[in-house]
Amino acid sequence: MPLGDLKLESIAGLPVAHLSGEIDRSNAAELGDRVTTAIGSQGGGLVVDLSELAFLDSTGIRMLFELAAELKRRQQALRVVVPDGSHLGQLLDTVGLKQAAATDGTVGEAVAALTPTG
């Protein structure tokens, strides 16, 4: 599995960062910086899709908490996509990510949660 890769797209006007491969101390800071740069100052927040992620170490987890803190400073929200019942989802529950960012099972659910209705 290759080291971490980042693909950015916009869905319904929201930035969506798809992270895949492996995120560890060798690349977490760079990927975090690239994602932070992609966040606009307008809008409801950011979706980080981890559904194709093979490995995440403690520096990658710290990156997610730092993204959540940065978005909170901007009065925006972070939604993290992890497949339901996955090992990664269990890990993020264990470290308390839900106190900093909501998690969703799909990108569609995360985008819907951040998109104003009506």
Side-chain angles (χ1 to χ4, degrees):
M1 182 61 69
L3 279 179
D5 189 30
L6 169 64
K7 291 188 174 87
L8 294 166
E9 70 173 324
S10 178
I11 300 176
L14 291 168
V16 178
H18 301 277
L19 293 165
S20 60
E22 299 180 0
I23 299 177
D24 61 22
R25 68 186 188 113
S26 72
N27 62 3
E30 177 208 345
L31 289 170
D33 289 345
R34 289 173 58 198
V35 172
T36 301
T37 301
I39 304 167
S41 59
Q42 304 297 317
L46 169 72
V47 175
V48 174
D49 176 15
L50 303 180
S51 56
E52 297 296 319
L53 202 63
F55 178 79
L56 180 71
D57 78 356
S58 61
T59 54
I61 292 168
R62 184 178 328 121
M63 176 197 71
L64 292 173
F65 277 99
E66 289 170 355
L67 278 172
E70 175 62 25
L71 283 155
K72 187 174 184 178
R73 278 191 292 278
R74 297 178 186 203
Q75 298 182 335
Q76 295 173 307
L78 173 63
R79 304 219 40 126
V80 178
V81 176
V82 290
D84 292 331
S86 69
H87 173 72
L88 181 58
Q90 294 169 356
L91 173 66
L92 294 176
D93 282 348
T94 300
V95 298
L97 184 69
K98 287 188 178 180
Q99 278 80 42
T103 58
D104 298 285
T106 67
V107 171
E109 291 170 3
V111 169
L114 290 174
T115 305
T117 56

XYZ file of all heavy atoms in Angstrom:
846
model
N 0.854 -1.178 0.000
C 0.000 0.000 0.000
C 0.898 1.239 0.000
O 1.842 1.305 0.776
C -0.903 -0.037 1.240
C -1.884 1.128 1.351
S -3.087 1.328 0.041
C -4.140 -0.059 0.268
N 0.618 2.197 -0.866
C 1.453 3.401 -0.922
C 1.247 4.285 0.297
O 0.261 4.158 1.019
C 0.957 4.107 -2.188
C -0.457 3.647 -2.337
C -0.486 2.240 -1.818
N 2.196 5.172 0.502
C 2.020 6.175 1.544
C 0.797 7.009 1.223
O 0.246 6.936 0.136
C 3.258 7.047 1.661
C 4.392 6.444 2.473
C 5.578 7.390 2.503
C 3.965 6.112 3.891
N 0.403 7.832 2.162
C -0.836 8.576 2.046
C -0.968 9.397 0.783
O -0.008 9.981 0.291
N -2.171 9.426 0.272
C -2.494 10.216 -0.904
C -3.709 11.059 -0.574
O -4.553 10.664 0.233
C -2.789 9.287 -2.094
C -2.922 10.061 -3.393
O -2.277 11.135 -3.536
O -3.667 9.606 -4.272
N -3.794 12.207 -1.191
C -4.894 13.137 -0.958
C -5.498 13.529 -2.286
O -4.786 13.946 -3.200
C -4.374 14.391 -0.236
C -5.322 15.585 -0.138
C -6.549 15.247 0.702
C -4.597 16.788 0.429
N -6.823 13.384 -2.378
C -7.562 13.876 -3.535
C -8.621 14.823 -2.996
O -9.353 14.483 -2.067
C -8.203 12.724 -4.298
C -7.201 11.834 -4.996
C -7.888 10.824 -5.886
C -6.887 10.034 -6.681
N -6.366 8.871 -6.013
N -8.672 16.012 -3.573
C -9.632 17.019 -3.135
C -10.711 17.197 -4.183
O -10.431 17.172 -5.387
C -8.928 18.357 -2.905
C -7.930 18.383 -1.763
C -7.060 19.625 -1.848
C -8.656 18.347 -0.424
N -11.934 17.374 -3.717
C -13.030 17.707 -4.623
C -14.029 18.567 -3.867
O -13.945 18.720 -2.647
C -13.692 16.456 -5.194
C -14.506 15.652 -4.200
C -15.270 14.509 -4.864
O -15.744 14.657 -6.006
O -15.397 13.454 -4.217
N -14.947 19.137 -4.601
C -16.012 19.929 -3.995
C -17.332 19.242 -4.290
O -17.611 18.905 -5.443
C -16.001 21.342 -4.590
O -17.051 22.102 -4.043
N -18.112 19.012 -3.254
C -19.445 18.419 -3.410
C -20.425 19.361 -2.741
O -20.278 19.678 -1.554
C -19.530 17.014 -2.771
C -18.521 16.056 -3.420
C -20.948 16.462 -2.885
C -18.469 14.678 -2.783
N -21.407 19.831 -3.494
C -22.414 20.770 -2.981
C -21.745 21.988 -2.335
O -22.202 22.498 -1.327
C -23.367 20.077 -2.002
N -20.615 22.411 -2.915
C -19.916 23.584 -2.408
C -19.040 23.336 -1.199
O -18.437 24.270 -0.678
N -18.961 22.101 -0.751
C -18.128 21.765 0.419
C -16.839 21.086 -0.028
O -16.861 20.222 -0.906
C -18.867 20.801 1.346
C -20.059 21.357 2.097
C -20.850 20.218 2.726
C -19.594 22.333 3.157
N -15.705 21.432 0.593
C -14.477 20.711 0.277
C -14.521 19.302 0.884
O -14.928 19.131 2.033
C -13.383 21.555 0.921
C -14.061 22.339 1.994
C -15.485 22.510 1.567
N -14.140 18.334 0.068
C -14.074 16.945 0.515
C -12.649 16.462 0.255
O -12.169 16.515 -0.882
C -15.090 16.047 -0.221
C -14.960 14.598 0.236
C -16.511 16.567 -0.003
N -11.982 16.022 1.313
C -10.612 15.506 1.221
C -10.664 13.994 1.361
O -11.059 13.474 2.408
C -9.750 16.118 2.321
N -10.293 13.297 0.288
C -10.258 11.832 0.302
C -8.818 11.412 0.605
O -7.921 11.661 -0.196
C -10.680 11.264 -1.056
C -12.054 11.664 -1.482
N -13.184 11.004 -1.059
C -12.475 12.668 -2.283
C -14.251 11.582 -1.602
N -13.843 12.592 -2.342
N -8.604 10.801 1.755
C -7.278 10.327 2.147
C -7.216 8.816 1.961
O -8.142 8.103 2.363
C -6.981 10.698 3.592
C -6.833 12.197 3.849
C -6.900 12.502 5.343
C -5.532 12.695 3.272
N -6.140 8.347 1.350
C -6.007 6.909 1.124
C -4.564 6.485 1.406
O -3.686 7.326 1.597
C -6.391 6.558 -0.316
O -5.554 7.237 -1.227
N -4.361 5.182 1.438
C -3.028 4.654 1.711
C -2.731 4.643 3.193
O -3.557 4.211 3.992
N -1.538 5.125 3.536
C -1.089 5.111 4.924
C -0.734 6.524 5.371
O -0.049 7.253 4.647
C 0.142 4.217 5.068
C -0.131 2.769 4.696
C 1.084 1.874 4.840
O 2.156 2.358 5.238
O 0.949 0.676 4.549
N -1.190 6.884 6.565
C -0.822 8.170 7.147
C -0.053 7.886 8.435
O -0.573 7.243 9.346
C -2.051 9.051 7.431
C -2.786 9.342 6.126
C -1.624 10.354 8.105
C -4.043 10.150 6.300
N 1.189 8.349 8.447
C 2.029 8.153 9.618
C 2.909 9.382 9.809
O 2.709 10.399 9.150
C 2.853 6.861 9.496
C 3.791 6.869 8.298
O 4.154 7.954 7.784
O 4.187 5.767 7.865
N 3.888 9.285 10.671
C 4.696 10.461 10.998
C 5.483 10.994 9.809
O 5.884 12.151 9.808
C 5.613 10.198 12.180
C 6.705 9.215 11.919
C 7.477 8.921 13.200
N 8.632 8.114 12.884
C 9.879 8.533 12.993
N 10.133 9.745 13.420
N 10.869 7.742 12.672
N 5.672 10.178 8.782
C 6.434 10.632 7.617
C 5.629 11.580 6.724
O 6.216 12.314 5.937
C 6.920 9.439 6.790
O 5.842 8.824 6.107
N 4.293 11.549 6.827
C 3.500 12.362 5.906
C 2.305 13.075 6.530
O 1.632 13.851 5.857
C 3.023 11.506 4.723
C 2.127 10.357 5.143
O 1.789 10.198 6.319
N 1.736 9.540 4.193
N 2.028 12.853 7.801
C 0.826 13.429 8.419
C 0.842 14.956 8.405
O -0.169 15.589 8.091
C 0.654 12.919 9.850
N 1.982 15.563 8.707
C 2.044 17.031 8.755
C 1.803 17.619 7.372
O 1.028 18.578 7.220
C 3.390 17.483 9.302
N 2.433 17.052 6.349
C 2.254 17.570 4.982
C 0.804 17.418 4.525
O 0.215 18.349 3.976
C 3.181 16.833 4.012
C 2.978 17.301 2.571
C 3.300 16.243 1.522
O 3.953 15.234 1.849
O 2.870 16.437 0.380
N 0.215 16.243 4.760
C -1.171 16.033 4.354
C -2.106 16.968 5.119
O -3.031 17.540 4.539
C -1.581 14.568 4.564
C -0.943 13.576 3.594
C -1.216 12.145 4.056
C -1.433 13.782 2.176
N -1.861 17.148 6.404
C -2.676 18.064 7.195
C -2.596 19.487 6.670
O -3.612 20.186 6.577
N -1.389 19.920 6.308
C -1.221 21.264 5.745
C -1.965 21.404 4.429
O -2.608 22.435 4.166
C 0.258 21.580 5.525
C 1.021 21.789 6.819
O 0.381 21.969 7.884
O 2.270 21.771 6.771
N -1.877 20.386 3.578
C -2.572 20.437 2.280
C -4.085 20.494 2.471
O -4.778 21.229 1.769
C -2.174 19.243 1.420
C -0.732 19.353 0.903
C -0.267 18.104 0.186
N -1.105 17.759 -0.948
C -1.127 16.552 -1.514
N -0.349 15.580 -1.042
N -1.908 16.305 -2.540
N -4.603 19.740 3.417
C -6.046 19.763 3.678
C -6.455 21.124 4.244
O -7.444 21.717 3.812
C -6.460 18.619 4.630
C -7.909 18.773 5.058
C -6.243 17.268 3.962
N -5.679 21.648 5.193
C -5.993 22.953 5.792
C -6.014 24.045 4.731
O -6.891 24.908 4.736
C -4.975 23.299 6.900
O -5.036 22.274 7.893
C -5.287 24.632 7.544
N -5.083 24.000 3.801
C -5.026 24.979 2.712
C -6.278 24.910 1.839
O -6.727 25.926 1.309
C -3.764 24.743 1.855
O -2.623 24.872 2.690
C -3.668 25.740 0.722
N -6.853 23.728 1.704
C -8.016 23.551 0.842
C -9.313 24.055 1.459
O -10.307 24.226 0.758
C -8.174 22.069 0.490
N -9.302 24.307 2.763
C -10.519 24.738 3.442
C -10.791 26.189 3.098
O -9.951 27.051 3.305
C -10.395 24.610 4.976
C -10.045 23.187 5.378
C -11.695 25.059 5.649
C -9.605 23.075 6.835
N -11.967 26.458 2.586
C -12.347 27.836 2.324
C -12.787 28.524 3.601
O -13.103 27.881 4.596
N -12.800 29.849 3.563
C -13.228 30.587 4.759
C -14.749 30.678 4.837
O -15.295 31.030 5.870
C -12.615 31.988 4.758
O -13.023 32.686 3.596
N -15.411 30.369 3.754
C -16.870 30.381 3.742
C -17.381 28.946 3.801
O -16.663 28.011 3.480
C -17.390 31.037 2.450
C -16.868 32.435 2.213
C -17.312 33.408 3.285
O -18.450 33.391 3.696
N -16.401 34.241 3.743
N -18.625 28.798 4.166
C -19.226 27.482 4.114
C -19.276 26.792 5.455
O -18.766 27.278 6.452
N -19.873 25.622 5.422
C -20.149 24.914 6.654
C -19.028 24.092 7.206
O -19.071 23.672 8.350
N -18.009 23.814 6.407
C -16.921 23.032 6.959
C -16.228 22.171 5.950
O -16.128 22.505 4.772
N -15.767 21.011 6.432
C -14.923 20.117 5.656
C -15.317 18.681 5.932
O -15.602 18.309 7.066
C -13.458 20.326 6.074
C -12.428 19.316 5.582
C -12.180 19.482 4.085
C -11.128 19.478 6.347
N -15.288 17.868 4.865
C -15.471 16.426 4.987
C -14.119 15.770 4.712
O -13.482 16.062 3.699
C -16.522 15.903 3.977
C -16.605 14.375 4.030
C -17.887 16.533 4.247
N -13.672 14.928 5.633
C -12.457 14.135 5.437
C -12.883 12.679 5.324
O -13.422 12.103 6.273
C -11.450 14.329 6.597
C -10.267 13.391 6.440
C -10.968 15.771 6.653
N -12.657 12.116 4.148
C -13.058 10.745 3.847
C -11.885 9.800 4.095
O -10.874 9.863 3.408
C -13.513 10.671 2.386
C -13.870 9.263 1.938
O -14.047 8.378 2.808
O -13.981 9.054 0.717
N -12.033 8.934 5.086
C -10.989 7.966 5.428
C -11.356 6.547 4.991
O -10.717 5.588 5.402
C -10.730 7.979 6.941
C -10.338 9.318 7.563
C -10.111 9.153 9.057
C -9.113 9.902 6.884
N -12.379 6.396 4.144
C -12.866 5.063 3.812
C -11.858 4.235 3.009
O -11.958 3.014 2.983
C -14.214 5.131 3.090
O -14.132 5.928 1.933
N -10.868 4.869 2.372
C -9.847 4.136 1.624
C -8.509 4.109 2.355
O -7.489 3.761 1.775
C -9.661 4.761 0.232
C -10.888 4.683 -0.648
C -11.281 3.245 -0.985
O -10.376 2.432 -1.261
O -12.479 2.945 -0.954
N -8.523 4.478 3.621
C -7.282 4.531 4.389
C -6.923 3.147 4.909
O -7.765 2.453 5.479
C -7.457 5.506 5.562
C -6.189 6.084 6.149
C -5.451 6.921 5.114
C -6.513 6.933 7.359
N -5.673 2.740 4.689
C -5.220 1.422 5.141
C -4.571 1.475 6.518
O -4.621 0.495 7.264
C -4.231 0.846 4.134
N -3.958 2.620 6.864
C -3.218 2.709 8.125
C -3.223 4.146 8.607
O -3.068 5.078 7.817
C -1.771 2.237 7.921
C -0.927 2.341 9.149
C -1.006 1.386 10.155
C -0.048 3.398 9.320
C -0.220 1.483 11.303
C 0.739 3.503 10.462
C 0.642 2.541 11.452
N -3.392 4.314 9.913
C -3.371 5.636 10.535
C -2.679 5.497 11.879
O -3.132 4.728 12.724
C -4.812 6.146 10.734
C -4.987 7.515 11.364
C -4.568 8.612 10.394
C -6.442 7.711 11.775
N -1.554 6.208 12.077
C -0.881 6.135 13.370
C -1.246 7.348 14.222
O -2.107 8.146 13.861
C 0.630 5.933 13.207
C 1.389 7.203 12.847
O 0.771 8.268 12.641
O 2.624 7.135 12.758
N -0.570 7.482 15.349
C -0.929 8.544 16.291
C -0.728 9.941 15.713
O -1.472 10.861 16.050
C -0.138 8.395 17.592
O 1.251 8.487 17.339
N 0.258 10.109 14.821
C 0.427 11.444 14.216
C -0.717 11.758 13.262
O -1.121 12.909 13.139
C 1.789 11.575 13.492
O 1.912 10.516 12.551
C 2.942 11.571 14.472
N -1.249 10.748 12.604
C -2.421 10.946 11.752
C -3.654 11.286 12.579
O -4.464 12.135 12.192
N -3.783 10.631 13.729
C -4.897 10.939 14.630
C -4.762 12.376 15.135
O -5.737 13.136 15.153
C -4.947 9.930 15.795
C -5.344 8.547 15.255
C -5.914 10.400 16.880
C -5.154 7.419 16.244
N -3.550 12.776 15.505
C -3.319 14.153 15.948
C -3.688 15.143 14.838
O -4.270 16.192 15.094
C -1.865 14.346 16.377
C -1.632 15.750 16.933
C -0.212 16.021 17.426
N 0.474 14.881 17.978
C 1.626 14.395 17.501
N 2.222 14.940 16.475
N 2.180 13.352 18.081
N -3.352 14.800 13.588
C -3.699 15.654 12.458
C -5.215 15.891 12.403
O -5.669 17.010 12.169
C -3.214 15.025 11.153
C -3.628 15.797 9.904
S -3.473 14.825 8.388
C -4.806 13.636 8.580
N -5.999 14.838 12.643
C -7.460 14.982 12.610
C -7.941 15.911 13.728
O -8.804 16.766 13.504
C -8.141 13.615 12.721
C -7.950 12.686 11.534
C -8.521 11.307 11.847
C -8.598 13.268 10.278
N -7.385 15.758 14.923
C -7.759 16.646 16.030
C -7.360 18.091 15.723
O -8.098 19.027 16.029
C -7.123 16.186 17.348
C -7.885 15.094 18.038
C -7.497 13.776 17.919
C -9.000 15.398 18.811
C -8.217 12.761 18.555
C -9.719 14.388 19.457
C -9.324 13.071 19.330
N -6.186 18.298 15.100
C -5.749 19.644 14.745
C -6.650 20.259 13.679
O -6.967 21.451 13.728
C -4.289 19.627 14.300
C -3.337 19.376 15.458
C -1.900 19.111 15.029
O -1.620 19.031 13.804
O -1.045 18.975 15.930
N -7.079 19.453 12.708
C -8.025 19.947 11.698
C -9.334 20.368 12.366
O -9.894 21.415 12.037
C -8.316 18.863 10.653
C -7.334 18.692 9.528
C -7.683 17.445 8.715
C -7.306 19.916 8.633
N -9.814 19.549 13.286
C -11.058 19.872 13.992
C -10.916 21.181 14.756
O -11.818 22.029 14.742
C -11.453 18.736 14.936
N -9.770 21.376 15.413
C -9.545 22.602 16.178
C -9.472 23.817 15.255
O -10.034 24.885 15.564
C -8.263 22.480 17.000
N -8.797 23.675 14.119
C -8.693 24.781 13.162
C -10.072 25.167 12.623
O -10.416 26.344 12.526
C -7.757 24.403 12.005
C -7.674 25.440 10.904
C -7.131 26.781 11.339
O -6.382 26.859 12.338
O -7.447 27.785 10.673
N -10.865 24.165 12.287
C -12.213 24.445 11.782
C -13.071 25.096 12.858
O -13.856 26.002 12.572
C -12.856 23.167 11.247
C -12.306 22.774 9.874
C -12.466 21.296 9.631
C -12.978 23.579 8.782
N -12.939 24.641 14.093
C -13.702 25.245 15.183
C -13.343 26.718 15.329
O -14.228 27.562 15.527
C -13.447 24.491 16.488
C -14.327 24.948 17.619
C -14.150 24.076 18.851
C -15.122 24.508 19.923
N -15.022 23.668 21.107
N -12.049 27.035 15.210
C -11.628 28.447 15.261
C -12.290 29.263 14.159
O -12.568 30.445 14.324
C -10.106 28.565 15.128
C -9.344 28.327 16.413
C -7.877 28.726 16.293
N -7.116 27.872 15.396
C -6.593 26.691 15.731
N -6.753 26.219 16.946
N -5.893 25.991 14.860
N -12.517 28.623 13.023
C -13.150 29.296 11.876
C -14.679 29.228 11.938
O -15.356 29.614 10.999
C -12.688 28.644 10.568
C -11.206 28.759 10.309
C -10.866 28.041 9.025
N -9.429 27.997 8.803
C -8.884 27.849 7.606
N -9.637 27.730 6.530
N -7.579 27.810 7.479
N -15.206 28.667 13.011
C -16.643 28.458 13.188
C -17.214 27.582 12.067
O -18.283 27.836 11.524
C -17.392 29.781 13.303
C -16.945 30.580 14.516
C -17.704 31.877 14.680
O -18.230 32.448 13.734
N -17.757 32.346 15.909
N -16.450 26.557 11.742
C -16.863 25.566 10.763
C -16.797 24.193 11.431
O -16.278 24.047 12.532
C -15.948 25.597 9.529
C -16.035 26.896 8.742
C -15.001 26.943 7.632
O -13.821 26.749 7.853
N -15.464 27.231 6.422
N -17.314 23.188 10.743
C -17.360 21.838 11.311
C -16.532 20.866 10.489
O -16.389 21.016 9.277
C -18.809 21.353 11.359
N -16.001 19.861 11.165
C -15.309 18.750 10.518
C -16.169 17.510 10.652
O -16.659 17.190 11.737
C -13.946 18.505 11.188
C -13.179 17.264 10.715
C -12.807 17.374 9.238
C -11.937 17.045 11.564
N -16.353 16.826 9.533
C -17.036 15.535 9.542
C -16.077 14.528 8.948
O -15.495 14.761 7.892
C -18.333 15.584 8.744
C -19.213 16.682 9.299
C -20.647 16.462 9.404
N -21.233 15.246 9.816
C -22.104 15.175 10.821
N -22.366 16.219 11.571
N -22.698 14.044 11.090
N -15.878 13.418 9.649
C -14.933 12.394 9.239
C -15.715 11.164 8.792
O -16.581 10.673 9.516
C -13.982 12.038 10.403
C -13.018 10.938 9.989
C -13.214 13.274 10.855
N -15.402 10.684 7.590
C -16.092 9.520 7.034
C -15.248 8.278 7.293
O -14.098 8.192 6.865
C -16.331 9.691 5.518
C -16.972 8.433 4.934
C -17.189 10.920 5.251
N -15.843 7.340 8.049
C -15.232 6.031 8.287
C -16.314 4.983 8.084
O -17.451 5.169 8.514
C -14.612 5.909 9.702
C -13.380 6.773 9.838
C -15.592 6.249 10.778
N -15.985 3.893 7.410
C -16.998 2.849 7.187
C -17.549 2.319 8.506
O -16.800 2.125 9.462
C -16.239 1.762 6.427
C -15.067 2.476 5.812
C -14.714 3.571 6.776
N -18.853 2.112 8.549
C -19.500 1.571 9.743
C -18.880 0.233 10.124
O -18.648 -0.619 9.274
C -21.006 1.376 9.502
C -21.738 2.699 9.336
O -21.283 3.716 9.910
O -22.764 2.718 8.635
N -18.583 0.068 11.406
C -18.051 -1.189 11.909
C -16.592 -1.451 11.578
O -16.085 -2.536 11.848
N -15.903 -0.467 11.013
C -14.506 -0.683 10.631
C -13.584 -0.578 11.848
O -13.912 0.048 12.853
C -14.073 0.346 9.583
O -14.017 1.636 10.165
N -12.403 -1.167 11.713
C -11.390 -1.069 12.766
C -11.008 0.394 12.987
O -10.847 0.830 14.131
C -10.162 -1.900 12.398
C -9.026 -1.726 13.350
N -9.049 -2.256 14.620
C -7.866 -1.048 13.246
C -7.934 -1.920 15.247
N -7.196 -1.185 14.433
N -10.886 1.148 11.905
C -10.533 2.563 12.023
C -11.606 3.330 12.797
O -11.292 4.161 13.649
C -10.342 3.181 10.632
C -9.955 4.654 10.601
C -8.665 4.900 11.369
C -9.840 5.131 9.169
N -12.856 3.029 12.545
C -13.936 3.673 13.290
C -13.849 3.369 14.775
O -14.032 4.252 15.616
N -13.545 2.111 15.108
C -13.386 1.725 16.512
C -12.206 2.462 17.144
O -12.296 2.934 18.281
C -13.191 0.213 16.619
C -14.411 -0.576 16.198
C -14.120 -2.065 16.057
O -12.989 -2.510 16.206
N -15.155 -2.829 15.745
N -11.108 2.589 16.406
C -9.935 3.293 16.905
C -10.265 4.756 17.181
O -9.933 5.294 18.242
C -8.793 3.199 15.884
C -7.550 4.035 16.185
C -6.852 3.538 17.440
C -6.612 4.025 14.998
N -10.943 5.412 16.246
C -11.281 6.826 16.427
C -12.267 7.018 17.578
O -12.209 8.027 18.279
C -11.810 7.422 15.116
C -10.774 7.480 13.989
C -11.403 8.001 12.709
C -9.554 8.294 14.384
N -13.157 6.048 17.797
C -14.038 6.106 18.973
C -13.208 6.015 20.257
O -13.447 6.750 21.213
C -15.048 4.956 18.957
C -16.202 5.196 17.993
O -16.355 6.331 17.505
O -16.946 4.229 17.740
N -12.241 5.105 20.260
C -11.409 4.883 21.444
C -10.629 6.135 21.833
O -10.516 6.463 23.014
C -10.428 3.704 21.209
O -11.200 2.530 20.934
C -9.542 3.467 22.413
N -10.110 6.864 20.838
C -9.307 8.052 21.139
C -10.163 9.301 21.358
O -9.641 10.368 21.647
C -8.244 8.331 20.051
C -7.270 7.170 19.952
C -8.865 8.666 18.713
N -11.483 9.163 21.225
C -12.381 10.273 21.540
C -12.545 11.305 20.443
O -12.867 12.464 20.724
N -12.361 10.903 19.187
C -12.498 11.872 18.096
C -13.900 12.483 18.046
O -14.052 13.639 17.684
C -12.158 11.235 16.742
C -12.197 12.228 15.566
C -11.057 13.232 15.680
C -12.159 11.515 14.233
N -14.900 11.714 18.475
C -16.278 12.235 18.397
C -16.495 13.475 19.260
O -17.432 14.220 19.026
C -17.287 11.145 18.760
C -17.409 10.117 17.659
C -18.527 9.145 17.898
C -18.614 8.181 16.725
N -19.654 7.205 16.869
N -15.608 13.728 20.233
C -15.714 14.971 20.993
C -15.273 16.160 20.138
O -15.657 17.289 20.401
C -14.863 14.925 22.269
C -15.542 14.220 23.428
C -15.450 12.698 23.328
O -14.414 12.160 22.990
N -16.538 12.013 23.621
N -14.457 15.915 19.122
C -13.932 16.989 18.277
C -14.613 17.063 16.919
O -14.731 18.147 16.346
C -12.426 16.797 18.075
N -15.055 15.917 16.400
C -15.635 15.877 15.055
C -16.648 14.752 14.959
O -16.437 13.678 15.500
C -14.537 15.668 14.024
N -17.716 15.019 14.234
C -18.717 13.981 14.005
C -18.195 13.000 12.966
O -17.384 13.351 12.106
C -20.010 14.612 13.518
N -18.655 11.752 13.059
C -18.282 10.761 12.058
C -19.526 10.301 11.318
O -20.634 10.294 11.868
C -17.565 9.551 12.689
O -18.412 8.954 13.671
C -16.240 9.956 13.327
N -19.321 9.930 10.072
C -20.396 9.449 9.208
C -19.911 8.208 8.487
O -18.704 8.012 8.307
C -20.777 10.525 8.175
C -21.305 11.785 8.823
O -22.463 11.762 9.278
O -20.570 12.781 8.878
N -20.845 7.386 8.031
C -20.501 6.162 7.318
C -20.199 6.381 5.848
O -19.494 5.582 5.235
N -20.729 7.470 5.261
C -20.511 7.743 3.836
C -20.275 9.234 3.618
O -20.672 10.070 4.449
C -21.724 7.339 2.974
O -22.821 8.197 3.283
C -22.122 5.884 3.187
N -19.648 9.557 2.492
C -19.439 10.948 2.123
C -20.781 11.652 1.956
O -20.964 12.790 2.394
C -18.583 11.063 0.840
C -18.552 12.490 0.322
C -17.170 10.558 1.103
N -21.750 10.961 1.372
C -23.074 11.546 1.177
C -23.721 11.968 2.489
O -24.308 13.050 2.559
N -23.612 11.123 3.507
C -24.171 11.476 4.827
C -23.470 12.690 5.407
O -24.104 13.578 5.984
C -24.023 10.294 5.789
C -24.895 9.106 5.461
C -24.531 7.862 6.287
O -23.629 7.934 7.159
O -25.148 6.812 6.053
N -22.146 12.748 5.262
C -21.372 13.869 5.817
C -21.725 15.167 5.109
O -21.923 16.206 5.757
C -19.875 13.576 5.692
N -21.812 15.127 3.786
C -22.171 16.328 3.020
C -23.571 16.782 3.387
O -23.807 17.976 3.605
C -22.042 16.060 1.498
C -22.671 17.190 0.678
C -20.577 15.876 1.115
N -24.503 15.843 3.498
C -25.878 16.196 3.860
C -25.930 16.869 5.234
O -26.676 17.822 5.437
C -26.767 14.963 3.847
N -25.115 16.399 6.166
C -25.113 16.967 7.520
C -24.580 18.410 7.536
O -24.946 19.196 8.403
C -24.280 16.089 8.452
N -23.711 18.737 6.590
C -23.129 20.079 6.540
C -23.843 21.032 5.581
O -23.520 22.210 5.526
C -21.642 19.995 6.123
C -20.701 19.401 7.149
C -19.300 19.256 6.549
C -20.656 20.242 8.416
N -24.788 20.503 4.815
C -25.475 21.312 3.817
C -26.753 21.877 4.406
O -27.601 21.123 4.894
C -25.815 20.463 2.567
O -24.606 19.881 2.097
C -26.434 21.307 1.477
N -26.903 23.200 4.393
C -28.136 23.797 4.923
C -29.357 23.304 4.126
O -29.282 23.152 2.913
C -27.947 25.303 4.724
C -26.525 25.498 4.365
C -25.993 24.198 3.870
N -30.423 23.046 4.844
C -31.649 22.606 4.177
C -32.623 23.754 4.061
O -32.626 24.666 4.876
C -32.319 21.445 4.954
O -32.554 21.888 6.287
C -31.441 20.219 4.967
N -33.448 23.659 3.021
C -34.522 24.615 2.816
C -34.036 25.969 2.573
O -34.557 26.972 2.645
